[in-house]
Amino acid sequence: MPLIRAVVVAIFAFIVVFNAAIFSGAAESQHHILILNSYQHGFVWSDEQTDGIVQTFRQIGEDASYVEDMNWQNDPTEDNLRVLHDRYRLKYAGKHIDLIMAVDPAALDFALKYKGELFSDAPVVFSGVNKSIADWLVAGHGDVTGVYAEPDYEGTVRLMAGINPKLRNIYLIYDNSNWGIETGEKMAVAAQRVNTSFAVTALNLLSYDDILKRLAALPADSAVIVGAYSRDSTGQVMDGKHFIKAFSATSSAPLYALYDHYIGYGAMGGMVLSGQRQGELAAGIGQRILAGVPAASIMPNQPTATACIDFHQIERFGVPIQRIPSEATIINRPACYYDWSASGIIIGIVTGVLALGVIAMLLQNIRRRKLAEKELRTSNAELTALFKEMAASQEVLQCQYRELEIIKEALAKSEERYKLHFEGANDGLWDWDILNDEVYFSDRCAEMLGIVDGKIQNMEQYFAANIPPGELEPVLTALHDHLQGKSLFYSCEHRLNTPYGLKWVLARGKVLSNEAGQRIRMAGSITDITERKRNESTINYLAYHDSLTGLANRASLNDRLKRAIISCMEGKDFGALLFIDIDNFKVINDTFGHSYGDRLLVIVAKMFARMDSGNIFVARMGGDEFVILLDTVRSVREAKAYADRTLQLFAEPLKVEDKEFRITISVGLTIFPTDGATAEDLFRNADLAMYRAKDQGKNCYVLFDKKMDDIARNRMIMENSLRNAIANSEFKLLYQPLVCVSTGKIKGFEALIRWHSQEHGWVQPDAFVHIAEETGLIVPIGRWVLKTACGFMGALQQRGYQKLRVSVNISVVELQQRDFVESVLWAIAEAGISPEHIGLEITESLLMESFDYNIEKLAELRRNGINIYLDDFGTGYSSLKYLKNLPIDVVKIDKSFIDDLDNEPIENGLTASIIELAHRLGLQSVAEGVETERQLQELIRFNCDMIQGFLFSKPLTEEKIVELLAESECELAPKIK
Ligand code: C2E
Ligand code: MG
């Protein structure tokens, strides 16, 4: 009896709770909660979190007022971000937000950046973000807390090893997003931690099809872990569930997952995190904040992963059930009668009764919903009819609008015609009495030409007196031709002196004869075309001149060059073409702004223009490129001397506004017709030679040589190969140790890139870095270098080497990227290391090129704890005096100084002075390229801090560095001790 009573009470309580849950949705939401998700709807991990958040809030009568699926991950560009920003600005203007829930790193980043501007500066709760990224993003923000998402990598590997004791090979599947790669790295580290003999293979660079092929042939001692995976290496996007279904169907080894939404779709199991649970915990925190607890006072928490196994997979791989941990949740397990205990049966009955109750309520619910649906359909039909009506009237409106447009067009035409007629009537009219040689002018005509009394005597005399000398003859010829019947009309454009100045006129007329055929009269009109002529000449000028500098432009150079080539070929002479490019002009432009750059171009153009003379023609090709054409030269030597003179123009510093600085130019020289007989060939030759001058260190000229064609072709091939090198994983980083002179211990490494090209074999950095710089490819390459070096440093720290630092070479092109500082900080944060363990090497000359701009960026990086190394010191401007103003920590003395130490035992030589000065400024010194014992002894004597060079070690692979560190832990650098 008590059991039955308990059941009845339970049913009653259930119905009350159920009704409350169903109908509580109608209750008014108290706060405005915004959920931000940077993925699109359908991405299970964030959808589950969103569900967890929404459901948890509903339980306390709160509703998530706004859910924004930003869909930013599919198009992660600055433009898209701007569009989202603008959209939210409009949407949330005047709305108050009480709480922001951000369910992934990008959403958190967005929320923190714009909450003040867009979302009422509401407190932020994050979920689904791992600890290192979350801590990095929230650093410096007060009103934010949340739930970390740290998958249990090691737990999952241990689970796999327990299920398959023969496990030796672990394959990792993750995508190449930041998040994916981080997961991949952590999975690899976890595998090694559990058992160092596990062989770990990452499949992230394979396409979907290749992964399927690989999985189909895995040996029995293998298992696969799938991390964050929503697109393959070719960019093919799929829901993670589809991926895992397909992978599992093909794989000959079990798949393990880190997130619970993959279980049941083919994964054997794993220590999984639940998106729903993340959302629930985050909403729990959100509730506390809404209740008045400050976000800053709530520590972020972290759910534990739980073991979950799919029974179907246990059966498929024949895993003995005793290998499954007892605490694991097993899904898809078939129900077994013998498993049921007596209490189980009672619970079953109670559940059955409850289910019946629920079904009854659901049926009632369905009836209500059908009624509502019917009503909706009726109003939908009404709305459709209304819409059709509106569409029809819109069509009518459009027709009327088109008609109006046609009428307007017709009106405009007739107005134009009217204007023409009016202007025609405004022309001056004249009438020439040939027999008496008297010309009568209409009032308008007399006024236009300033003729007193409206009449003149003797037409030809009038012409002779008023048409400028040298221009009279064609006018008289046209007149006589017409009088003699050679032309149907007289028509002539010429200049005419008037009391108001020289005017251009168009004179038209027709002669009249009497019955005897004698010419007696001629009448016609005169139009003032001065304005038209002025416009024509402006247009003509613009067509052949550069608007900024006033020099001739490419079109007029083309004409002139063609003529020069022909005349040289006829006269068996030579001509020369100098193609000039200002060195580092881009840097000047980027640093001081375009209008400053323009002013500099005008000054340079004036300097060239002074050389312009009968035989020399100067033109601007565009940008910072100029051409000087020498119509004739007697010899190649003369052309070279001219190129030298051009370089000398820039020997003195230039003053542009209040700034005075030195600029240089690079010149490509080609001779015609020997090097080429068409303008195109000559431009190409001179351009190639100019690029060669740049390669040779700039500020020089180079004479074209036919071999340059081959070099250019090879360079293009190299450039193409370089474009594919990152995708083909052809780069490798080597690390060269930097050794402390006083202790003999390794202090850190310089990361040095190597390229193993499929087409060219091993290529040294000197052979490709400058091509990468010119093509901009250095930016992605540099990112790869930084990421790899940071990753390696992270791995070393995990091995216990906490005091090392790796330095990375940076190119000027990278430094000029607007987001350079952010990208460096991001790479460091992603690797989970702190900035003191990273150094950036900047060459001295690069730093000097655009001083203020670079300095500010480096200073900012330095404020963040990153070390700045001044590389190749002594090779550039050798500006010892600048040293004290630079934001640097370390000076690397160039190898050329170190080489000198072998020769002369100078007490106070340059190297000793540089080291001493560096110390005085509180900087550390590194000697580069130390090769001999003698150099080392001298450097010890000079108190140099660190050495780098073949004497200690060549650049080594990661594996070799690990071995070297293991050895040097007990025995310090042998050569130095
Ligand atoms: P660097 O920054 O001055 O690097 C030092 C160069 O000297 C390295 O050449 C290194 O292998 C070499 N070296 C070190 N010790 C000795 C020695 O005892 N004797 C001799 N003869 N050479 C020694 P590497 O690796 O060929 O690099 C050449 C240059 O390429 C570097 O000069 C650097 O400017 C550039 N570079 C290398 N890796 C990168 C990179 O990842 N990014 C960028 N932007 N440039 C890089
Ligand atoms: Mg370097």
Side-chain angles (χ1 to χ4, degrees):
M1 270 302 131
L3 183 67
I4 296 174
R5 206 178 310 138
V7 169
V8 171
V9 170
I11 294 171
F12 184 71
F14 177 81
I15 292 171
V16 170
V17 171
F18 186 82
N19 266 324
I22 287 198
F23 298 110
S24 65
E28 265 296 295
S29 165
Q30 318 227 312
H31 293 97
H32 291 109
I33 301 162
L34 163 67
I35 304 179
L36 278 180
N37 160 21
S38 81
Y39 289 82
Q40 73 276 36
H41 185 63
F43 181 69
V44 189
W45 173 242
S46 24
D47 283 359
E48 280 189 352
Q49 291 182 65
T50 307
D51 286 350
I53 294 170
V54 170
Q55 283 164 16
T56 310
F57 274 122
R58 268 206 193 130
Q59 283 165 12
I60 58 154
E62 291 283 2
D63 220 346
S65 320
Y66 309 104
V67 179
E68 293 294 356
D69 296 322
M70 298 160 71
N71 195 12
W72 187 71
Q73 300 284 349
N74 273 348
D75 182 13
T77 56
E78 281 294 318
D79 277 350
N80 192 18
L81 206 60
R82 225 170 293 124
V83 171
L84 283 171
H85 170 272
D86 292 349
R87 180 161 11 117
Y88 295 155
R89 189 156 47 84
L90 287 177
K91 181 169 173 184
Y92 292 102
K95 291 193 177 116
H96 184 80
I97 303 289
D98 297 294
L99 180 66
I100 306 168
M101 308 290 298
V103 299
D104 59 71
L108 174 59
D109 192 25
F110 188 87
L112 292 175
K113 266 191 196 137
Y114 299 115
K115 69 182 187 121
E117 186 191 345
L118 305 177
F119 307 128
S120 325
D121 207 13
V124 180
V125 177
F126 63 80
S127 69
V129 186
N130 77 7
K131 185 168 183 319
S132 58
I133 294 183
D135 288 352
W136 186 71
L137 286 173
V138 307
H141 294 273
D143 224 4
V144 52
T145 182
V147 181
Y148 297 131
E150 281 298 332
D152 187 352
Y153 304 102
E154 273 187 53
T156 302
V157 177
R158 281 208 184 87
L159 183 73
M160 292 156 56
I163 288 177
N164 181 1
K166 290 189 183 140
L167 181 67
R168 280 293 161 271
N169 287 299
I170 297 181
Y171 293 85
L172 306 179
I173 299 183
Y174 51 91
D175 62 29
N176 292 314
S177 63
N178 290 339
W179 169 279
I181 287 174
E182 181 174 329
T183 320
E185 283 165 0
K186 289 195 170 156
M187 290 192 289
V189 171
Q192 290 296 308
R193 279 225 184 108
V194 173
N195 188 339
T196 45
S197 67
F198 283 157
V200 179
T201 312
L203 306 182
N204 61 318
L205 296 180
L206 299 188
S207 67
Y208 169 66
D209 291 336
D210 288 343
I211 293 181
L212 287 180
K213 277 187 216 143
R214 195 72 188 269
L215 292 182
L218 297 183
D221 61 357
S222 318
V224 183
I225 316 180
V226 185
Y229 198 76
S230 57
R231 70 175 68 197
D232 77 349
S233 65
T234 64
Q236 185 178 345
V237 181
M238 252 205 253
D239 178 1
K241 281 179 186 168
H242 288 103
F243 272 126
I244 209 145
K245 257 189 192 169
F247 291 157
S248 163
T250 338
S251 178
S252 53
L255 261 61
Y256 289 85
L258 303 168
Y259 304 98
D260 69 343
H261 52 262
Y262 287 156
I263 314 293
Y265 291 89
M268 166 74 83
M271 294 296 294
V272 291
L273 278 184
S274 152
Q276 174 92 18
R277 182 82 192 114
Q278 286 268 322
E280 288 166 5
L281 284 174
I285 295 180
Q287 286 174 16
R288 289 174 63 196
I289 295 172
L290 292 179
V293 183
S297 69
I298 305 174
M299 289 300 287
N301 63 13
Q302 183 172 329
T304 41
T306 53
C308 189
I309 300 288
D310 186 346
F311 193 80
H312 289 335
Q313 301 299 322
I314 296 183
E315 281 186 318
R316 178 178 163 200
F317 289 99
V319 178
I321 195 79
Q322 56 276 17
R323 289 197 194 148
I324 306 299
S326 55
E327 70 279 8
T329 309
I330 303 180
I331 63 157
N332 289 331
R333 189 180 197 161
C336 167
Y337 177 79
Y338 301 105
D339 289 349
W340 286 50
S341 62
S343 59
I345 293 171
I346 293 174
I347 292 168
I349 294 170
V350 172
T351 318
V353 173
L354 287 176
L356 280 176
V358 172
I359 290 169
M361 274 181 306
L362 282 179
L363 283 174
Q364 199 187 349
N365 226 4
I366 290 170
R367 228 187 50 227
R368 263 194 244 149
R369 207 173 287 168
K370 277 196 171 158
L371 266 174
E373 222 172 83
K374 205 171 152 197
E375 274 171 30
L376 260 175
R377 241 182 262 134
T378 321
S379 46
N380 190 25
E382 281 167 13
L383 270 175
T384 313
L386 192 64
F387 178 75
K388 276 186 188 157
E389 233 171 76
M390 277 173 65
S393 46
Q394 192 186 356
E395 221 167 275
V396 172
L397 272 174
Q398 270 172 358
C399 276
Q400 287 173 350
Y401 179 75
R402 270 197 299 274
E403 275 169 25
L404 266 173
E405 285 280 277
I406 293 166
I407 293 169
K408 208 170 119 194
E409 221 170 276
L411 258 173
K413 269 191 190 146
S414 67
E415 201 174 301
E416 197 180 337
R417 233 175 280 136
Y418 171 75
K419 203 169 144 207
L420 277 176
H421 286 164
F422 179 79
E423 276 171 6
N426 234 9
D427 285 351
L429 301 177
W430 51 267
D431 192 342
W432 178 22
D433 176 354
I434 296 175
L435 295 180
N436 298 312
D437 200 6
E438 277 179 349
V439 190
Y440 299 92
F441 296 91
S442 68
D443 291 349
R444 164 89 190 98
C445 196
E447 190 190 331
M448 190 196 311
L449 302 180
I451 289 167
V452 192
D453 296 339
K455 183 178 112 177
I456 57 165
Q457 203 75 44
N458 194 327
M459 175 76 134
E460 290 202 10
Q461 237 178 36
Y462 172 75
F463 277 172
N466 291 296
I467 294 179
E471 295 174 26
L472 175 64
E473 204 176 298
V475 180
L476 293 181
T477 312
L479 185 64
H480 294 153
D481 283 354
H482 180 60
L483 290 173
Q484 288 159 21
K486 290 185 191 162
S487 61
L488 224 49
F489 295 97
Y490 162 69
S491 174
C492 191
E493 284 181 3
H494 58 88
R495 292 195 297 170
L496 202 61
N497 244 323
T498 72
Y500 322 110
L502 211 51
K503 280 190 174 178
W504 268 99
V505 295
L506 164 64
R508 279 173 294 203
K510 185 152 177 62
V511 73
L512 294 173
S513 311
N514 60 14
E515 279 145 21
Q518 187 188 13
R519 312 296 194 208
I520 51 166
R521 223 179 127 196
M522 188 168 163
S525 66
I526 282 193
T527 315
D528 182 349
I529 57 167
T530 314
E531 193 60 33
R532 195 191 88 200
K533 282 285 181 189
R534 204 176 292 137
N535 289 344
E536 273 176 14
S537 87
T538 312
I539 289 166
N540 206 33
Y541 180 85
L542 289 178
Y544 286 95
H545 289 81
D546 170 49
S547 57
L548 176 69
T549 61
L551 287 182
N553 64 8
R554 182 189 282 265
S556 73
L557 174 68
N558 249 328
D559 287 354
R560 174 82 175 233
L561 180 58
K562 280 179 191 157
R563 273 184 274 134
I565 295 171
I566 292 169
S567 105
C568 278
M569 286 170 79
E570 283 169 359
K572 300 200 170 39
D573 289 330
F574 299 108
L577 193 74
L578 281 75
F579 200 103
I580 300 164
D581 187 279
I582 302 178
D583 296 330
N584 309 320
F585 181 72
K586 189 177 166 340
V587 179
I588 297 173
N589 240 355
D590 290 347
T591 312
F592 303 119
H594 284 256
S595 58
Y596 187 87
D598 282 354
R599 276 189 284 279
L600 174 70
L601 287 175
V602 172
I603 292 175
V604 171
K606 276 191 187 141
M607 292 163 67
F608 289 140
R610 268 180 238 132
M611 305 175 100
D612 204 331
S613 71
N615 183 30
I616 298 164
F617 186 80
V618 182
R620 177 175 175 225
M621 298 294 274
D624 60 338
E625 291 172 349
F626 295 86
V627 163
I628 298 182
L629 166 67
L630 310 179
D631 284 342
T632 52
V633 283
R634 281 186 298 270
S635 62
V636 174
R637 196 173 338 129
E638 188 185 326
K640 281 181 169 180
Y642 196 86
D644 251 335
R645 264 175 48 213
T646 315
L647 289 170
Q648 284 312 309
L649 286 178
F650 297 90
E652 295 301 316
L654 285 190
K655 192 161 182 191
V656 183
E657 290 173 354
D658 53 340
K659 294 183 189 67
E660 192 174 70
F661 58 91
R662 197 179 293 279
I663 66 162
T664 55
I665 56 171
S666 298
V667 182
L669 173 62
T670 188
I671 308 291
F672 56 87
T674 31
D675 291 343
T678 65
E680 295 77 49
D681 282 352
L682 291 172
F683 283 141
R684 200 175 45 92
N685 294 348
D687 195 41
L688 280 177
M690 187 275 288
Y691 271 105
R692 182 45 89 81
K694 294 257 182 213
D695 286 347
Q696 290 184 2
K698 305 173 181 171
N699 191 19
C700 62
Y701 75 84
V702 165
L703 178 65
F704 172 76
D705 177 333
K706 294 235 187 307
K707 281 189 215 123
M708 283 178 192
D709 261 346
D710 299 339
I711 294 171
R713 213 165 300 123
N714 285 339
R715 197 191 138 94
M716 232 164 69
I717 295 171
M718 188 83 115
E719 191 183 315
N720 278 340
S721 314
L722 204 51
R723 286 191 191 282
N724 302 321
I726 291 192
N728 295 343
S729 307
E730 292 174 1
F731 290 120
K732 204 172 164 50
L733 264 198
L734 297 185
Y735 298 88
Q736 189 177 27
L738 269 71
V739 179
C740 172
V741 173
S742 60
T743 64
K745 283 193 177 177
I746 296 176
K747 297 286 277 185
F749 312 96
E750 176 174 9
L752 293 159
I753 196 166
R754 297 290 177 271
W755 176 25
H756 189 243
S757 155
Q758 287 174 8
E759 292 93 359
H760 315 283
W762 283 107
V763 190
Q764 292 298 311
D766 286 338
F768 70 86
V769 166
H770 65 284
I771 301 180
E773 284 179 341
E774 276 163 28
T775 49
L777 287 169
I778 197 70
V779 176
I781 293 175
R783 290 219 168 115
W784 177 86
V785 169
L786 194 63
K787 184 180 167 57
T788 311
C790 289
F792 180 51
M793 193 37 66
L796 286 182
Q797 289 190 354
Q798 278 175 357
R799 284 175 179 269
Y801 300 109
Q802 299 292 347
K803 292 194 169 164
L804 299 171
R805 187 192 296 150
V806 65
S807 59
V808 171
N809 289 286
I810 297 297
S811 136
V812 67
V813 183
E814 289 171 75
L815 191 61
Q816 274 164 359
Q817 298 303 303
R818 228 178 291 151
D819 63 347
F820 178 70
V821 173
E822 290 76 26
S823 69
V824 172
L825 295 176
W826 177 253
I828 292 172
E830 253 194 331
I833 56 176
S834 63
E836 306 85 68
H837 299 289
I838 292 298
L840 300 181
E841 297 202 2
I842 318 285
T843 65
E844 190 196 356
S845 39
L846 153 92
L847 202 55
M848 297 300 155
E849 271 172 11
S850 49
F851 200 73
D852 297 344
Y853 186 65
N854 289 336
I855 295 297
E856 188 33 50
K857 282 193 177 176
L858 293 178
E860 193 181 341
L861 286 164
R862 198 157 169 260
R863 281 196 292 276
N864 278 283
I866 292 161
N867 285 269
I868 308 294
Y869 293 49
L870 191 58
D871 207 356
D872 302 340
F873 185 79
T875 52
Y877 293 76
S878 300
S879 35
L880 286 169
K881 67 177 174 141
Y882 275 117
L883 270 184
K884 72 172 187 310
N885 300 326
L886 298 177
I888 54 171
D889 305 276
V890 182
V891 176
K892 293 189 82 176
I893 308 162
D894 190 65
K895 185 173 183 334
S896 51
F897 293 90
I898 309 304
D899 288 345
D900 279 351
L901 297 180
D902 275 332
N903 309 327
E904 2 142 16
I906 306 173
E907 209 39 53
N908 291 314
L910 252 181
T911 314
S913 315
I914 295 173
I915 295 171
E916 199 192 316
L917 180 74
H919 286 166
R920 236 185 292 138
L921 296 172
L923 308 173
Q924 290 212 305
S925 53
V926 177
E928 286 191 293
V930 180
E931 288 178 343
T932 67
E933 193 65 40
R934 170 155 184 186
Q935 291 168 354
L936 175 63
Q937 291 314 323
E938 289 290 282
L939 289 163
I940 292 175
R941 206 155 63 81
F942 298 155
N943 281 334
C944 181
D945 298 298
M946 280 175 273
I947 67 142
Q948 177 185 356
F950 294 170
L951 179 67
F952 180 67
S953 167
K954 291 201 163 179
L956 302 173
T957 58
E958 288 187 3
E959 296 76 33
K960 289 267 187 251
I961 289 289
V962 171
E963 282 172 22
L964 184 70
L965 283 172
E967 285 165 18
S968 58
E969 246 181 355
C970 41
E971 189 189 327
L972 302 177
K975 299 273 182 187
I976 288 181
K977 275 261 116 177

